Amino acid sequence: WARAIKLMAAFGLRAEELKHLQKKVDKKTNEKYLWCSYQKRAGGGLTQPRKLRELYPVDEKGKEVAWDLVELFDQKSFILPPLQGKTGVGDACLKYLKRKECWKELLKTVEARGERLGTYSFRHSYSVRGHQQDIDGGSMATAMGHSFETHCREYPWATQSGTDSAFERARANRMKRKAA
């Protein structure tokens, strides 16, 4: 399950998407990447299959944790847990997590703040990391396999300090252009 959780965290995956992954190579650049063929029914349509882009989590010191998941993905030693269960992949993953002490501690912290914790939390944190790295909402929506409208509705991470920072960067960029 550790590998499955790393994939969910690094690529912002839904648990169900773990069953729909494959490694591909870009013919022009020779870049290796993961592809998700899952299509979710939503809002009267289907989400599109997509190239996955990693945004690795950071550790307690703020350093990016790089697991090199694309390279490791199709090696024989990279085994995912059984993903065919009666209750679904998300429930199976949550069952695993609930047995882990670190998850129990995190759950206490999150609940004390009045927040929720579940398998979608890995997906939510992916969205937050993307916005912290100045990736626009439309690009994050595409990377996560949903519409911009869904992204704005379901991932409302805008804060006053983030807005202030965004406008300060825009102002600084304008000043640089004027000076040039």
Side-chain angles (χ1 to χ4, degrees), residues 93-118:
C93 182
L94 197 54
K95 184 178 179 181
Y96 167 81
L97 289 168
K98 286 180 175 179
R99 295 190 307 254
K100 299 295 178 188
E101 285 304 315
C102 59
W103 186 261
K104 292 175 187 177
E105 290 176 29
L106 183 58
L107 184 59
K108 287 179 191 174
T109 302
V110 168
E111 286 178 343
R113 294 192 310 230
E115 299 173 354
R116 295 184 338 208
L117 184 65

Side-chain angles (χ1 to χ4, degrees), residues 100-162:
K100 299 295 178 188
E101 285 304 315
C102 59
W103 186 261
K104 292 175 187 177
E105 290 176 29
L106 183 58
L107 184 59
K108 287 179 191 174
T109 302
V110 168
E111 286 178 343
R113 294 192 310 230
E115 299 173 354
R116 295 184 338 208
L117 184 65
T119 57
Y120 253 69
S121 298
F122 299 111
R123 190 163 166 78
H124 298 321
S125 65
Y126 176 85
S127 174
V128 170
R129 285 192 307 278
H131 290 294
Q132 287 172 337
Q133 295 177 36
D134 296 328
I135 300 172
D136 65 273
S139 296
M140 285 305 302
T142 300
M144 294 177 73
H146 53 237
S147 69
F148 181 63
E149 177 187 352
T150 297
H151 194 76
C152 292
R153 183 180 63 246
E154 300 297 327
Y155 298 88
W157 309 128
T159 62
Q160 186 61 48
S161 63

